[in-house]
Amino acid sequence: MPEATANIGVVGLAVMGSNLARNLASREGNTVAIFNRSHEKTETLLAEHPEAEFVPASTYQEFADSLQKPRTAIIMVKAGRPTDAVIDSLVEVFEPGDIIVDGGNAYFPDTIRREKAVRETGINFVGAGISGGEEGALLGPSIMPGGSDESWVTLGPILKSIAAVAEGEPCVTHVGHDGAGHFVKMVHNGIEYADMQLIAEAYDLIRRGTGKTPAEIAEIFAEWNTGELESYLIEITAEVLRQVDAETGKPLVDVIVDQAGAKGTGAWTVQTALSLGVPVSGIAEATFARSLSSHPEQREVAAALPGPDEAFTVADEAAFIEDVRQALYASKIVAYSQGFDEIRAGAAEYDWTIDLGAISKIWRAGCIIRAQFLNRIADAYAETPDLPVLMTAPYFADALTRGQASWRRVVIAAAQAGIPAPAFSSSLSYYDGIRADRLPAALVQGQRDFFGAHTYKRIDKDGTFHTLWSGDRTEIEAEDTH
């Protein structure tokens, strides 16, 4: 039996798992047990990184025996059945009080199910969202763990040792119980979809409107990255646009097929928002834009459909580029406001206590959507913890006031030129919808009552009402069905 020398273990040694194990091993006080179903990967990691304090295991029992109690293991395998298989194997060799952490991109209802099942054995199960990709796993990710308070006592110091650091604070917090961590990671990814689509639309509008090359537009993004739009995604956009394809000599962006992939987290975010009754239109349009791009057979046929007759021209390039910048920032505010609305609604639905300000703080470094902007979100929730609409906080309201004229000009220009800008357009529509003093939903309620007797309420008196549409069209007071 191996001596129990490791304080943390990693199961699954593909790139993310290997990088996370290396990160753990590089931090003072950590000794890392490692296990992979194919032992060859374990041997490769040992050979390539002899400096790391790894304790290898060739069986689950060896892995468990090498861990100090309470045993703590992070699973880094493919979501779905592979994750369930590893959990089942660990449950067989772990004991009550031990901790199993799923660090993959699991769908949060699966995490709720798994946590409930594993809890019955006395073992703690933690769903932890880990953001930052391969580089983050190695150098310091943003980590969003759920799970029990008991598990956080042991797990907290370990995760704090490897997390990214923003302004002296580790980018990890105990998000909430059972599936809360993976829920917040899901919404993070949904916001990421919106952020990326907005940036792509900004690039497309500038290129079509000014004729600038990708390299020239890269310099615009680099300049934007020195101001209020400063973020990882703006930074890497400039890098991508500067890249020249070695084979053709063309800008790399021009030789990449224009069909965007997706791993499903954007769709989960939208589906969950629909079930919670939370509008996340910016995230939804970004997700649908990827879907549309990935149907070349439809796009080829639809290319014959007519568009505007006149070519898109911009009279004042500098003014147009500034308008696009303002529209990008305003739409970004909407995307985050919608995302935090979904987190709040999810917390209420699943009885989680989630500190929205703390979430914004752990996203400031390590994760894909890290940005200067997140400090402003943290400030907003620090000032008003129960803020009902993020974009009404003074800082964001002022930014929207400054930017709305530019935003509208950009959406008008895109529509007139026949350039798709679904994330810009839907974000503006949401902004106008949520600030409207009266919406046409009154007519929708009238229609619903006409065909389905779904009833309605009145603005001038209490109660629930129905019009006898198929009778004499008098109004009667009805039982409240809402």
Side-chain angles (χ1 to χ4, degrees), residues 159-170:
L159 296 184
K160 287 176 182 178
S161 76
I162 64 165
V165 176
E167 299 178 19
E169 299 176 312

Side-chain angles (χ1 to χ4, degrees), residues 63-80:
F63 178 75
D65 291 341
S66 68
L67 287 164
Q68 299 166 356
K69 296 181 181 180
R71 301 177 183 89
T72 305
I74 302 176
I75 301 171
M76 299 296 291
V77 299
K78 189 175 180 181

Side-chain angles (χ1 to χ4, degrees), residues 156-215:
I158 296 171
L159 296 184
K160 287 176 182 178
S161 76
I162 64 165
V165 176
E167 299 178 19
E169 299 176 312
C171 292
V172 58
T173 190
H174 185 207
V175 172
H177 295 153
D178 55 68
H182 276 145
F183 179 92
V184 167
K185 175 57 163 56
M186 174 192 74
V187 176
H188 163 285
N189 284 26
I191 294 171
E192 180 185 308
Y193 273 54
D195 217 340
M196 293 172 70
Q197 177 65 24
L198 290 166
I199 291 169
E201 290 178 16
Y203 153 76
D204 194 36
L205 284 162
I206 292 172
R207 189 167 186 187
R208 291 179 189 241
T210 68
K212 290 184 181 295
T213 66

Side-chain angles (χ1 to χ4, degrees), residues 136 205 233 368 425 435 451 481:
L205 284 162
L233 283 170
I368 303 303
S425 303
R435 68 176 192 83
F451 67 69
T481 59

